[in-house]
Every structure is written in C-alpha cells, then in structure tokens.
Amino acid sequence: MKYVDEFRHGETGKRLLDRIARVSKKPARLMEFCGGHTVAIFKYGIRQLLPPHIEMLSGPGCPVCVTATADLDRVIALSQQPGVIITSFGDLLRVPSSRSSLQQARAEGSDIRIVYSTLDALDIARKNPDKKVVFIGIGFETTAPGIAASIIQAKKEKLKNYYVMSLHKLTPPVTRALLDSGETKLDGIIAPGHVSAIIGAEAWRFLPEEYGIAFAISGFEPLDVLYCINRLIDQIESGQPKLETAYSRVVRPEGNPTALKLMYDVFDVAPSNWRGIGIMPGSGLAIKPELATFDADKVFDINVGEPALEPAGCLCGEVIRGITTPTECKLFAKSCTPEHPVGPCMVSSEGTCAAYYHFGGSLD
Ligand code: SF4
C-alpha cells in the first residue's frame, strides 16, 4: 500500500526508538491530548517500547468522553419531546447518562438516528418536514466547521425543521485549564493533529512560551508519533521548549482560514460543560444569536429535572484529566467492558479505557 506503509515502516521506527533511548536522559512526562493518538500509542505498543523514565499520559481529547452527563441528560429529555428526531454520531448512543442512555431512550420509543455526517441529518430534515430534526454537535474544532456548514445550508434552503444542539469544545482553553489546575505536571505535549490543521500551530504558542512545556503537533501513524516524541525529547533535553509541527504535511501555522471563517460565522465562543472538569468559560461554541432559529437550546424548552449524577464508581473524570489511569479504576475490565461500558471512556473507540482494554493497558 502506498502512503500509509511508509508511516509504519518497522526499521525507521526502530531507528527513532534507538535515538529516543540515546538522547533521553531526564525523566519526562508526556501527554497525548488526542484520543486518536492514544489509540495509535496503544495499538502499536509505543508505551512499552519507550525508556521507562518516559511516562505517557492520556488527555481529554475524546469528544464523546468529555461530553458532560448533564448534557446527555438534556439530549435524552429532548428526544422524548413529541415530533423530535435526534440525529447523532454513533458512539454517543451508548454513553450512560444519569438515568438512561440514548440507546435506551431509543428502545423506549424515542426517534434517535445514527448519522455519519450532517449531510445525512439535513436529508432527514428535508424528508420529514412535519418533524423537528436535531443534530447533536459534539467534538472539537475539527468537527465544528462541518456542523457550521450544515446550519448555513439549512438557512440557504429555508429549512424550518433543522436544529443543532452545540456541545462543541475548544482544545487550547482546556489544555490551559489542566495546566493551571496544577493536578497534572507535564514536560511535553503531543498536540492534536486534526484540530491543529483547523486552528493552526500558532494557536498553541502559549504552551512553550507561557508554560515552558515542550510542544509538538503529531500525526496519527506510529512513525508520526515516534518522530513527535523525538522532537519533544530534544526540547526537554536542551531545556528549550518551542512550537514544533511534526505533522507538516497537514498542519500550517495559520491553520485553515476557510474552516475557521465558517466556524466563526456561525458560532460564538461560549462556556462549555466538560465531564470531570465542569463549566469552563470560553471553552465551547454557541450558535450566534442571529441564527437562533437553528439553535436547539433556544428553540426547545428542555427540562431534565434532577441534577446529573455520574455513573457510580466511574473515574472517567480523573482519567480525562490525566491524573488516574484506567487500571486504577476498580470497575475496569470487571463490570466495565466495551460490551457493557459504565463510563464514556470505555464506550468510545478513542476512549482511554477502551484503548487500555483492547491493546493491553494492563501492562502498566
Ligand atoms: Fe469509567 Fe469504566 Fe473507565 Fe472505570 S474503566 S473510569 S468505570 S469508563
């Protein structure tokens, strides 16, 4: 296979690992922000191949995992309103909320449909003019432009029955919050490749310059990750943290101006509720007031009743913040498995608990 095999070449990987072992002298705690990196690191056994003084932590970069239980409760309550069709990406359906899950709500009669893009959701709205079709917008800066485009398209077509519930989250503010909390001490960050393709490498300059943390943006193949770790180790050993892109085939300093314009034509920066962290100012996206007719939070009266409860015994909040590993959770691989997940970190294909479960986190 062309193009992918080059980034999985064993000999090159061995050379990168040898170089890391040779250059790295100081203890280093590195966090991969993104769930896609977590999966690559586990799938290719990268943790076990690194010198023992390099510690790898997983961060909050799984969109399903960071969606707050209270927001899931609101989605379920909305799904129970007459004439509503909920459209969502598949992973969200299995995430337990306080009292139920979207999957269970669907079994009890709510019309909840898995879609693969907002194009599918728009199509459902066109074909069901007597229904109210709500797309649940989760994810980071990577998904927000596409969802913004769906609102612009719905406006163009004068669709009166298409809405978005915006649960989008922004990555630089949560990274700053994790560091400011002092809970997680880091020497370097493997920064998210796809998010950075949208927001640009420059959006992260504050990390090396204000926090003095080694920083490099990585792609998702094993050689991408190993090359990124090499860059981080060089910065740590030299004591000179800086902004580096180890994914230059995709990420530009300025990001993608077209996608950013689309995103900020539709959304304003707003507070967002993060699982395990709480409501954080400036860390989410809300639909602009002039597009309020497409905003599910403005159009529907959503009453969830009791405050949200986290699944008993689940440590997802701590796992997301990088202060606990899944194997420290008493439920891991016992009552919580991918077939019967207790928390979202075991549901999502990008969840840290699922990565530990599938690819041998018990080796920790
Ligand atoms: Fe939550 Fe399951 Fe992970 Fe424990 S193993 S933190 S219960 S998702």
Side-chain angles (χ1 to χ4, degrees):
M1 188 193 296
K2 214 177 166 196
Y3 302 128
V4 173
D5 282 355
E6 286 86 337
F7 295 98
R8 298 177 182 172
H9 188 248
E11 270 308 308
T12 311
K14 187 169 179 317
R15 282 201 295 276
L16 287 166
L17 280 162
D18 287 347
R19 186 178 183 282
I20 292 169
R22 199 172 62 249
V23 172
S24 178
K25 308 280 184 238
K26 301 176 185 169
R29 299 188 93 210
L30 310 181
M31 174 182 272
E32 82 273 0
F33 180 95
C34 178
H37 288 144
T38 304
V39 172
I41 287 165
F42 276 96
K43 187 172 170 187
Y44 294 101
I46 289 174
R47 278 188 178 207
Q48 287 83 3
L49 295 170
L50 292 171
H53 61 275
I54 299 179
E55 190 182 351
M56 302 292 292
L57 305 171
S58 301
C62 155
V64 167
C65 306
V66 295
T67 301
T69 301
D71 285 332
L72 274 172
D73 285 349
R74 293 194 306 119
V75 176
I76 291 168
L78 180 56
S79 80
Q80 290 161 343
Q81 294 195 13
V84 167
I85 300 175
I86 298 287
T87 56
S88 166
F89 296 136
D91 273 357
L92 199 62
L93 264 70
R94 297 180 65 228
V95 177
S97 78
S98 277
R99 292 165 281 277
S100 178
S101 67
L102 283 170
Q103 191 167 255
Q104 195 178 329
R106 183 163 72 169
E108 289 165 359
S110 292
D111 192 343
I112 299 171
R113 305 185 191 184
I114 295 172
V115 292
Y116 295 97
S117 81
T118 49
L119 295 178
D120 298 337
L122 283 170
D123 210 36
I124 293 169
R126 288 184 201 108
K127 288 177 178 156
N128 295 273
D130 55 333
K131 302 279 188 183
K132 297 164 187 159
V133 177
V134 182
F135 181 80
I136 308 303
I138 64 165
F140 302 113
E141 295 91 336
T142 330
T143 49
I147 294 168
S150 78
I151 293 176
I152 289 171
Q153 182 64 25
K155 186 177 178 211
K156 204 164 135 191
E157 291 183 33
K158 298 190 170 53
L159 275 178
K160 300 283 184 222
N161 65 330
Y162 178 74
Y163 313 90
V164 168
M165 180 183 277
S166 176
L167 305 177
H168 293 105
K169 301 198 169 9
L170 300 175
T171 49
V174 75
T175 310
R176 194 184 270 281
L178 284 183
L179 294 169
D180 287 345
S181 76
E183 284 183 327
T184 318
K185 299 265 184 269
L186 298 177
D187 300 296
I189 288 188
I190 298 174
H194 295 151
V195 161
S196 302
I198 303 294
I199 65 175
E202 283 298 324
W204 297 102
R205 186 166 285 284
F206 69 96
L207 280 174
E209 293 193 354
E210 286 180 43
Y211 290 86
I213 287 179
F215 175 91
I217 298 165
S218 177
F220 296 87
E221 293 299 330
L223 294 192
D224 285 322
V225 176
L226 287 175
Y227 177 62
C228 180
I229 294 171
N230 260 279
R231 305 313 312 135
L232 294 175
I233 294 301
D234 279 2
Q235 292 181 35
I236 291 165
E237 292 299 323
S238 67
Q240 292 180 330
K242 59 183 175 187
L243 189 76
E244 282 205 45
T245 299
Y247 194 31
S248 56
R249 67 185 185 278
V250 171
V251 177
R252 288 174 290 176
E254 73 282 13
N256 181 330
T258 308
L260 285 171
K261 179 172 184 321
L262 200 53
M263 190 162 100
Y264 288 114
D265 279 351
V266 169
F267 297 111
D268 285 328
V269 173
S272 187
N273 194 1
W274 295 67
R275 181 185 298 267
I277 297 170
I279 297 174
M280 201 192 313
S283 70
L285 294 171
I287 296 171
K288 283 182 179 291
E290 57 268 35
L291 294 166
T293 52
F294 300 99
D295 186 345
D297 280 304
K298 298 280 170 13
V299 172
F300 297 93
D301 185 17
I302 308 169
N303 184 1
V304 292
E306 299 288 311
L309 299 171
E310 296 303 321
C314 174
L315 303 182
C316 267
E318 287 87 338
V319 171
I320 287 165
R321 304 204 302 278
I323 56 174
T324 297
T325 60
T327 46
E328 291 174 78
C329 173
K330 291 196 174 89
L331 310 186
F332 178 79
K334 297 187 180 81
S335 55
C336 183
T337 63
E339 290 72 35
H340 300 286
V342 174
C345 303
M346 190 61 94
V347 172
S348 170
S349 55
E350 294 190 349
T352 306
C353 298
Y356 266 69
Y357 186 93
H358 287 301
F359 301 115
S362 57
L363 292 174
D364 270 16

